[in-house]
Amino acid sequence: MSLRVPVLAVAALGLGLSLIANLSAGPGGIGPGAVWEALIRFEPESYDHAVVAFQRLPRAVIAIYMGAVMAVSGTVLQALMRNPLASPATLGINSGAALAVLAGAYLLDLGIETQGVAALAGGTAGFLAVLWVARLAGLSRDPRGLSLILAGALVSMFLTGMANAFLLADPVRRTDFLGWVTGNINHVYAERLYDFWWIGAASFGLLMALARPLTLIALGREKAASAGVNVPRVRGLALAAVVLGASSAVAVCGPVAFIGLVVPHMVRPFAGAGLARALPAAALTGAALCLWADLVARTAFAPHVVHTGLILDVVGGLVFAVIVRRVYLAPAGAAR
Amino acid sequence: MLELDQVAVSYGKAPVLADLSVRFAPGRLTALVGPNGSGKSTLLKAVMGFLPVQSGTITLDGRPIRTLARRALARRVAYLPQENRCPDYMTLGELVELAGYARYSLMGGPSDRDRALFRDALETVGLADMAHRPVNALSGGQKQRAWIAMVLAQDAEIVLMDEPVNHLDVKYQYAVMDLVRSLTRDHGRTVIAVLHDMNLTSAYADDVVMLRGGRVVAAGPVAQTVDADSVSRTFDLEADIFVRDGRLVCLPRLAGTGTRLPEVRARTA
């Protein structure tokens, strides 16, 4: 217990350092000192300050938003579904939102703002489709919840295939979206973050208010109901918050997979199972991780900039395999 | 007083409880016994409102239980499901603290009185010095006591338990039943527990409700209710019922197979 108290302080410090490191990295030799100057005493005349404030800072803020929202969404989904593989990416939210953006742009010629709204609708539809398929596949008779994850994979493949079809159909506009659809942090989309940041903030606020009943639901629906939780209402509110929050992040950065799945597992041993502490810890950790992924994407192959989503996909794929091994191939009960 | 009047519940077409009427006396430990599928767990779930009741009424002190909101019900009735699973890394202290949810305000947490209650609950189950330990690191018997501590910490006057000694070895079965009985004797709770073992029932329960096919075969104080006839009609089983050390023993007859040790029988007879 005593070990856990400083967890949030350590995570916050880690995020601060990650932000400085992220803003300092890159060509031009802008050191942490100059970054600090640019943030505290911004000089409009300074080229270095302009790079920090108008290029790197928007990227960093997008990374923080995406990382925090995805990590929180994954933590809540894993608790609500009582499934260690649940996340916005594995339950169809990401692919649904991505397809809706492409379909909106290609079929309806939606502008950049309305594409964001399409992402919210698409994420919701993708998630509901996964729940529906999982129910058909017999989720209620499957204590380990594998059918939910398989339904998520199935629906995601279908939705991603449709999204690819749109990309292939129009070579002219393909390049606009090719980067986005692999999950990318790009300051071009800072406008959309400006429109949507409040969705993530409201989602986080609501989930924090529901932290205790959500923790109870992680013990089982009947146990939670017997302790006084209105399970359908809490579950409905929390799922709406998660789906809209994660979809808003997809609207800004495209479907990024790794964070929502893995950060909850990284945070849990230190922050515990209680969501009142696990949610802020996940938000801080997810944000820091995205800052580092962005840093690697910008510097590893300099002068070329790799898509942040690709870095996260490679690492995420490996970690996914480790989690599957630990959770599903462990002797029954050992990993719980 | 918890009372079921002409309650019918069915899963699809198959009736599980058929016009079942029973009342549970306050401050007593009532055992629900019967063969698999006789409706014991269903009865508890119907009381908790987890299953739709097709007809009849379930009342708590005369008030229909379905008119109580979840929070109000949780302050009066606690429930221990048959299978309990705790998330990794949740400590015993955190688990017990969650039990007070129905008394907390939206943003508030446990009061001083709640904290005293949690300490008492852990003390009662003998795990007072383990509050910081993860529940999943406890042994099977300790885990079951942890869940009972959570039920105690909920501070409800009625406690429903679905097979509280399931999966426990014989020694822990008796230890946990000692604890369950102390809930009625020392804490004034009304306990309704699904049990499988007639000997545990006879040793610990005040009252017994014997179910078969969703109907009550016999109900009342253990000493007057459990006999060869009621056991036979409930379980379709011939058994000898006799008194040993001041309690009823239920010994099923062997139907030809099984091991008989004549010299041992001669020694103990």
Side-chain angles (χ1 to χ4, degrees):
Chain A
M1 204 68 179
S2 54
L3 265 177
R4 291 180 176 181
V5 179
V7 159
L8 290 184
V10 170
L13 188 68
L15 177 59
L17 294 177
S18 306
L19 179 62
I20 302 286
N22 181 288
L23 294 178
S24 312
I30 307 172
V35 167
W36 190 248
E37 286 272 298
L39 294 179
I40 306 281
R41 278 192 305 271
F42 179 69
E43 293 280 349
E45 306 294 308
S46 160
Y47 175 74
D48 285 359
H49 285 196
V51 168
V52 169
F54 299 122
Q55 273 197 350
R56 294 186 187 171
L57 190 59
R59 275 186 82 105
V61 172
I62 290 174
I64 289 172
Y65 182 79
M66 196 262 288
V69 167
M70 285 295 180
V72 165
S73 299
T75 305
V76 172
L77 284 175
Q78 289 179 12
L80 265 181
M81 301 291 165
R82 303 179 83 195
N83 192 315
L85 296 178
S87 76
T90 47
L91 296 184
I93 299 171
N94 283 6
S95 51
L99 173 62
V101 167
L102 288 175
Y106 277 58
L107 295 180
L108 306 173
D109 266 322
L110 295 182
I112 209 127
E113 307 83 26
T114 22
Q115 281 172 21
V117 178
L120 300 182
T124 309
F127 179 69
L128 292 177
V130 168
L131 285 188
W132 180 66
V133 172
R135 200 158 295 164
L136 287 186
L139 178 63
S140 56
R141 295 184 303 279
D142 174 11
R144 291 184 115 183
L146 199 54
S147 59
L148 182 69
I149 301 305
L150 293 178
L154 190 77
V155 170
S156 293
M157 277 186 240
F158 176 71
L159 297 176
T160 307
M162 301 236 299
N164 288 340
F166 279 116
L167 285 179
L168 290 171
D170 190 345
V172 181
R173 283 196 288 180
R174 190 182 302 161
T175 41
D176 298 351
F177 287 99
L178 204 52
W180 179 83
V181 94
T182 54
N184 194 19
I185 292 172
N186 189 328
H187 62 270
V188 171
Y189 289 103
E191 287 280 305
R192 208 174 273 168
L193 178 63
Y194 188 76
D195 290 337
F196 276 177
W197 66 269
W198 62 272
I199 297 179
S203 158
F204 183 71
L206 179 62
L207 293 171
M208 280 303 284
L210 295 176
R212 192 176 270 121
L214 284 171
T215 308
L216 268 160
I217 292 177
L219 298 176
R221 286 195 210 186
E222 290 190 348
K223 189 69 223 179
S226 75
V229 177
N230 184 334
V231 176
R233 187 196 292 164
V234 169
R235 208 176 122 86
L237 282 173
L239 286 178
V242 162
V243 170
L244 293 178
S247 302
S248 77
V250 174
V252 178
C253 315
V256 172
F258 165 65
I259 299 293
L261 178 67
V262 171
V263 171
H265 293 272
M266 294 172 57
V267 163
R268 215 171 277 133
F270 304 101
L275 292 183
R277 197 191 277 108
L279 291 184
L284 294 167
T285 309
L289 216 61
C290 276
L291 286 174
W292 284 103
D294 180 58
L295 191 154
V296 171
R298 284 195 288 124
T299 55
F301 302 98
H304 302 288
V305 176
V306 187
H307 285 154
T308 314
L310 293 182
I311 302 288
L312 289 170
D313 278 346
V314 171
V315 183
L318 291 173
V319 179
F320 187 86
V322 171
I323 298 173
V324 168
R325 201 181 148 75
R326 206 175 79 88
V327 173
Y328 280 102
L329 303 184
R336 310 234 171 250
Chain B
M1 165 106 68
L2 181 64
E3 208 172 339
L4 282 74
D5 185 29
Q6 303 275 308
V7 170
V9 173
S10 55
Y11 292 127
K13 285 234 172 74
V16 190
L17 297 181
D19 295 333
L20 184 135
S21 299
V22 64
R23 42 205 323 205
F24 297 98
R28 291 172 76 87
L29 168 51
T30 304
L32 295 179
V33 300
N36 293 331
S38 58
K40 308 179 294 284
S41 301
T42 305
L43 192 157
L44 298 189
K45 287 184 185 203
V47 171
M48 292 309 300
F50 298 148
L51 296 168
V53 171
Q54 267 93 31
S55 63
T57 49
I58 302 172
T59 52
L60 189 58
D61 294 336
R63 182 175 171 184
I65 210 160
R66 61 181 164 73
T67 64
L68 289 170
R70 276 273 164 232
R71 264 168 176 266
L73 183 62
R75 285 196 284 264
R76 310 223 27 211
V77 182
Y79 170 68
L80 181 64
Q82 193 172 355
E83 302 287 342
N84 293 287
R85 213 175 80 197
C86 188
D88 280 340
Y89 306 109
M90 184 175 282
T91 64
L92 182 53
E94 290 173 316
L95 181 74
V96 168
E97 189 183 308
L98 286 171
Y101 173 72
R103 297 190 298 276
Y104 305 154
S105 63
L106 180 62
M107 294 296 174
S111 63
D112 290 345
R113 185 187 161 275
D114 288 322
R115 294 195 186 284
L117 202 66
F118 301 152
R119 272 195 300 277
D120 281 353
L122 289 178
E123 226 152 76
T124 302
V125 302
L127 297 175
D129 50 345
M130 303 222 174
H132 62 284
R133 292 271 296 276
V135 174
N136 288 346
L138 302 176
S139 73
Q142 289 174 332
K143 242 182 238 176
Q144 194 61 8
R145 273 146 61 199
W147 291 107
I148 292 176
M150 186 184 181
V151 162
L152 254 181
Q154 195 171 327
D155 200 25
E157 74 223 43
I158 298 176
V159 176
L160 311 181
M161 297 181 159
D162 200 346
E163 300 196 23
V165 297
N166 206 10
H167 304 317
L168 296 181
D169 65 35
V170 177
K171 184 187 158 197
Y172 276 132
Q173 289 187 9
Y174 280 81
V176 166
M177 284 311 296
D178 272 331
L179 180 59
V180 170
R181 187 165 61 176
S182 83
L183 301 189
T184 56
R185 299 284 151 87
D186 309 331
H187 297 263
R189 312 293 169 85
T190 305
V191 177
I192 302 161
V194 172
L195 293 177
H196 265 303
D197 185 335
M198 287 309 294
N199 292 322
L200 275 181
T201 301
S202 308
Y204 289 102
D206 301 304
D207 297 330
V208 62
V209 175
M210 304 173 82
L211 297 173
R212 176 165 187 170
R215 293 171 196 279
V216 176
V217 175
V222 169
Q224 284 94 303
T225 312
V226 176
D227 55 30
D229 177 54
S230 63
V231 168
S232 156
R233 282 188 294 133
T234 306
F235 292 98
D236 196 13
L237 176 81
E238 297 305 316
D240 290 319
I241 310 288
F242 53 92
V243 176
R244 180 85 194 236
D245 288 344
R247 65 185 207 234
L248 284 178
V249 177
C250 174
L251 185 66
R253 289 195 188 152
L254 292 177
T257 57
T259 309
R260 288 164 200 273
L261 299 172
E263 65 280 11
V264 174
R265 190 170 52 182
R267 208 164 49 221
T268 56

